[in-house]
Amino acid sequence: MGEKIKLTVYGAEVLCPSCVNLPSSKEQYGWLQAAITRKYGENDVTYKYIDIFNPPEEQPYKGFAERVIEEDMFYPVVLIEDEIVGEGNPRLKTVYRALEDRGLQPQ
């Protein structure tokens, strides 16, 4: 595969008000990374976690973090490239489908 696929997770230390019984954003980020690595290997996807309440100054991260807060999105919000593929409680099937749509193949 050529260029790596970028997966970005936007979340917070505090649980989303509607996500009380779910794992934290950081826990879900780690879980997604482990699941994707098991299925596809570790060479074709880059991972980035953004704290929505303390985002980096650079764009598009800062702008999207503000959008998550302003639009009351359920977090974590999972993006593959620039497409939202999960919100609140991301589904592995949906994430896998988005990765495969971009040419990633299971090992």
Side-chain angles (χ1 to χ4, degrees):
M1 190 171 164
E3 203 167 307
K4 289 188 173 194
I5 298 169
K6 182 175 70 172
L7 183 140
T8 310
V9 174
Y10 290 83
E13 294 293 321
V14 182
L15 289 179
C16 150
S18 299
C19 307
V20 175
N21 294 321
L22 297 175
S24 72
S25 296
K26 274 250 172 150
E27 290 171 324
Q28 290 190 55
Y29 170 71
W31 168 76
L32 273 171
Q33 194 170 359
I36 291 167
T37 299
R38 270 193 309 275
K39 184 165 182 159
Y40 301 100
E42 54 188 53
N43 298 322
D44 295 320
V45 180
T46 60
Y47 302 90
K48 188 165 188 86
Y49 178 83
I50 305 294
D51 184 321
I52 60 173
F53 296 112
N54 191 21
E57 288 298 316
E58 65 191 277
Q59 293 298 347
Y61 305 117
K62 184 176 175 71
F64 194 83
E66 291 169 355
R67 181 177 160 200
V68 171
I69 295 167
E70 289 169 7
E71 295 181 15
D72 288 327
M73 294 175 142
F74 298 126
Y75 45 87
V77 178
V78 179
L79 273 72
I80 294 183
E81 299 301 333
D82 294 323
E83 177 189 357
I84 296 173
V85 296
E87 191 179 330
N89 187 15
R91 302 278 182 236
L92 271 179
K93 278 186 176 182
T94 307
V95 173
Y96 289 165
R97 188 174 327 112
L99 289 168
E100 290 173 11
D101 287 348
R102 286 164 179 78
L104 198 57
Q105 295 299 313
Q107 291 188 337

